[in-house]
Amino acid sequence: LVRDGFHLPEEEEKKLNAVGWTIGKSPRVDVDTKYVPNFARYKTTYTKLAAIGLSEYECVLLMDADTLAVGNIDDLLSCNVFDRPEYKVAGTLDYYRGNWYHFNTGSILWRASAEEMNRVYDLTKDDTFMKRFQSDQIFLNTVYPDRTDVQKNELMSEKGLESNKDDWGEVVNLPWGYNAQTHVEVQLPEFWDKHLSDVKIFHFTEKKGWQCPERYGSPPSNEEMPLAKDCNNKIPLCFCREAYRWYDSLKLASEMAESATKA
């Protein structure tokens, strides 16, 4: 979905169509100027809420541009996780400043509903609710405040869908593998290594895939990688061990687009 008022270059749209994308238009979801986030990249972030209202579908998976599917997600797109009427959205816990806190909105599954879309939209116009939320994630975790108990979240982080459903509230607790935030590679390396084989969607949080050194085919060896305790943003390979997957996918998509546009 492309935000109303934003136009893709014709050549780029042809490439997307060539590799199987269906391009649609998303309505603008604007908020009062006093509530617009300070960070430039979040100025139009409320447009993402439009995905909730795609009620022609049973559920809708919203993935940010810095995410990458690397495994089969058919089980997620079956919508079967919404097996209780109170569930509105499904998300993975966010690792924030040393704790599991809030659900991360970089990869979330919505139970599509025009009614819920209208309710959430109305909140963006409600001065008793709204404030200058600094991201869609903070806004949505205020709409659905079910991931603020750090102790419960700690248990959920390990058990995923097997955790106590009575603790979930309106938010299905998706397993880590559906939103593997790459800052955890450095900040919680033991957890990262334990769950890496289960990852189906990577979320390049600290450094985007395109901000990492160009590499194809395989990750850097353990000998090449800096120790997690020594990592920071200035070291090229830090937070970038899985970025080769991003470059592999970009290469494949470019080849597919070139082949399709020549056909």
Side-chain angles (χ1 to χ4, degrees):
L1 295 177
V2 179
R3 185 175 184 263
D4 188 21
F6 181 85
H7 300 284
L8 289 173
E10 183 179 351
E11 192 59 33
E12 298 306 313
E13 187 165 347
K14 286 181 180 178
K15 291 178 182 179
L16 290 171
N17 288 329
V19 296
W21 286 74
T22 299
I23 309 297
K25 183 179 290 187
S26 171
R28 298 166 63 99
V29 180
D30 295 321
V31 297
D32 192 289
T33 303
K34 65 185 177 184
Y35 299 135
V36 173
N38 290 322
F39 296 107
R41 65 178 174 146
Y42 292 125
K43 296 292 186 185
T44 60
T45 194
Y46 285 93
T47 296
K48 293 167 64 176
L49 301 178
I52 308 171
L54 293 171
S55 55
E56 63 268 39
Y57 302 101
E58 185 178 351
C59 66
V60 176
L61 178 64
L62 178 67
M63 296 173 60
D64 281 355
D66 58 357
T67 60
L68 178 69
V70 297
N72 190 306
I73 55 175
D74 286 352
D75 52 346
L76 185 61
L77 293 176
S78 72
C79 311
N80 289 338
V81 295
F82 295 118
D83 58 0
R84 289 190 180 186
E86 63 265 31
Y87 297 153
K88 302 294 194 303
V89 63
T92 297
L93 281 161
D94 187 55
Y95 192 67
Y96 180 70
R97 295 185 179 180
N99 287 303
W100 297 107
Y101 189 75
H102 284 175
F103 62 95
N104 186 287
T105 59
S107 170
I108 53 175
L109 187 73
W110 285 105
R111 175 180 244 160
S113 164
E115 181 181 1
E116 183 65 4
M117 173 69 241
N118 289 336
R119 183 183 79 86
V120 175
Y121 178 78
D122 286 345
L123 287 174
T124 70
K125 308 302 178 186
D126 184 349
D127 288 332
T128 65
F129 176 85
M130 283 298 288
K131 60 183 180 179
R132 193 186 292 271
F133 297 105
Q134 293 305 326
S135 68
D136 61 286
Q137 180 164 309
I138 298 173
F139 170 81
L140 286 172
N141 275 276
T142 307
V143 176
Y144 308 104
D146 298 310
R147 294 295 180 273
T148 58
D149 187 319
V150 172
Q151 290 183 329
K152 286 183 178 179
N153 292 348
E154 188 71 32
L155 295 173
M156 289 186 196
S157 70
E158 284 291 347
K159 295 187 177 182
L161 292 170
E162 302 304 315
S163 57
N164 185 354
K165 289 188 174 186
D166 291 334
D167 292 335
W168 290 3
E170 296 180 301
V171 184
V172 175
N173 182 43
L174 287 183
W176 166 253
Y178 289 114
N179 187 342
Q181 304 136 46
T182 54
H183 63 277
V184 174
E185 171 193 348
V186 171
Q187 296 179 12
L188 207 60
E190 291 184 3
F191 181 92
W192 178 267
D193 291 341
K194 179 180 177 180
H195 294 278
L196 183 59
S197 62
D198 298 325
V199 172
K200 297 185 178 184
I201 298 174
F202 280 103
H203 185 185
F204 294 95
T205 46
E206 190 71 21
K207 284 184 184 174
K208 309 311 178 188
W210 56 88
Q211 294 175 323
C212 292
E214 188 171 342
R215 186 184 184 99
Y216 298 89
S218 61
S221 65
N222 289 334
E223 290 71 24
E224 292 176 84
M225 289 297 300
L227 294 175
K229 66 181 180 64
D230 299 326
C231 258
N232 61 63
N233 261 324
K234 295 180 180 179
I235 300 175
L237 285 179
C238 286
F239 307 100
C240 288
R241 193 160 198 270
E242 301 302 321
Y244 76 94
R245 300 175 186 268
W246 188 87
Y247 283 104
D248 282 350
S249 296
L250 177 62
K251 181 182 178 182
L252 176 61
S254 298
E255 292 171 349
M256 290 172 62
E258 183 178 1
S259 175
T261 53
K262 286 181 178 179

